[in-house]
Amino acid sequence: MASIILGYDIGVMSGASLYIKKDLKITDVQLEILVGIMNLYSLIGAFAAARTSDWIGRRITVVFAAAIFFAGALLMGFAVNYAMLMAGRFVAGVGVGYAVMIAPVYTAEISPASARGFLTSFPDFFINFGILLGYVSNYAFAGLPLRLGWRVMLGIGAAPSMLLALMVFVMPESPRWLVKNGRLADARAVLEKTSATPEEAAERLADIKAAAGIPKDLDGDVVEVPEGRKSKETQVWKELILSPTPAMRRILLSALGIHFFQQASGSDCVVLYSPRVFKSAGITDDNKLLGATCAVGVTKTLFILVAAFLLDRVGRRPLLQCSAGGMMVSLVGLGTGLTVVGHHPDAKIPWAVALCIASTLAFVAFFSIGLGPITGVYPSEIFPLRVRALGFAVGVACNRLTSGVISMTFLSLSKAITIGGSFFLYSGIAAIGCVFFFAYLPETRGRTLEEMGKLFGMADTGMTEAEGTRGQEKVVQNPNGCKLDGNQETAATVSLS
């Protein structure tokens, strides 16, 4: 539900923007700021959600996301001018930041390793479903009077927020958050409901206790978490951002890289400006424009289902590389078609129009089978428990910041280097992303969250800040009996994995 809310706002704005520009008489610059600024506002929500979710729990944080977005949707629906509409976008943006951060983290923490990829891809599936609902809303309310149509499109987004706030209260709390706060009995109860056998639940609890720094022999309904292991804010920031170990730095760069390439390859531009792209390709009728946009939404939603079933079978890295490579080829095709149409403004070139439509659908299909869902899955898996909320929030901040810059500069960039040239630029970024995924990201399929630190080179995923001080020399024994220093161990562990 949180993801539907986010997706709906993205999708509905693509069509509503056509009518907002006509009704409020705003410029292209004002329009691209309106469309993209919410991504920057969501930075506030993402970092606030990290703090809130560590403080009061993952579950109740979702309620905050719903309440904030409800208020934002009503503000946008009743906006009487551009300033009020921007105020509504600000409030909704904070709600989006909450939702996009907490939904994947909660899902990853409550899921068993065998199905985590499948379950953690659900947020992206429902983002795409929300985008599709936004497109359908554009199509359904396009016939209303100009002053009313776009307001209904935006205001009706408040409905899912009310459902979300009610549904949250039947959800269990994250067992990892419960353990981190010493509530072992509550965590055990949740794990028994989300594990195949009592033995699996006990094993998962033992792993989570170790990651949280709770001694193995310390048991009871509620226990005192060792003071040195508590994730205090200053310690978490120091460990993740200010003085990370080489392994933690690689985890952080992996998360930032996947978030950056998802947005820098122009995915939001294809979604937000798809009516304008199709118009540039030669489709001028409003109903046909919105119909073609709905086809984009259907394609995204169908292919995200395919990805959900492949994530735990094929793995994250192969899907990412296939996705980025396919996006690169699709963007080249889209850029070619738009460039040909742009060079012949007075003539209709059917093959170029068809190439633009086919390339757009191929782009969203490749995006939805890899970069779309895995951007939610991979970063939610790889951070150690003590820094997971902040780490994922930093990744979301990178995602939203990149998205905001890309979406707020697309129209200006298109005027400077043509719309076809813009997509050629994005194809080059997708190619770089493909190389990054191949060279830098290890495979995480089938591993528990507590094993991720070792995959990235950490000897002890539950180590204290003192043990993880950068530059500290540690000696480990590899399977061949050779002793390695810390940097060599990182490389050797990744290579063996």
Side-chain angles (χ1 to χ4, degrees), residues 90-140:
F90 170 75
V91 176
V94 174
V96 164
Y98 263 86
V100 78
M101 179 267 163
I102 195 59
V105 168
Y106 174 87
T107 308
E109 291 192 343
I110 205 167
S111 304
S114 59
R116 190 177 60 248
F118 176 72
L119 295 175
T120 316
S121 68
F122 275 16
D124 194 70
F125 167 74
F126 285 110
I127 287 175
N128 284 282
F129 183 67
I131 290 172
L132 178 58
L133 289 180
Y135 291 159
V136 172
S137 176
N138 291 154
Y139 196 82

Side-chain angles (χ1 to χ4, degrees), residues 207-264:
D207 288 343
I208 296 170
K209 284 173 64 178
I214 299 176
K216 187 177 181 179
D217 56 352
L218 183 60
D219 208 353
D221 290 349
V222 179
V223 302
E224 184 70 24
V225 179
E227 189 68 27
R229 306 279 182 143
K230 289 184 179 178
S231 295
K232 295 179 180 178
E233 186 179 3
T234 54
Q235 293 174 337
V236 170
W237 275 93
K238 184 177 180 181
E239 183 176 358
L240 184 66
I241 305 293
L242 301 178
S243 58
T245 63
M248 186 67 78
R249 187 184 304 113
R250 187 178 183 200
I251 291 173
L252 179 61
L253 290 178
S254 296
L256 292 178
I258 197 171
H259 276 292
F260 172 78
F261 285 111
Q262 186 201 47
Q263 296 299 336

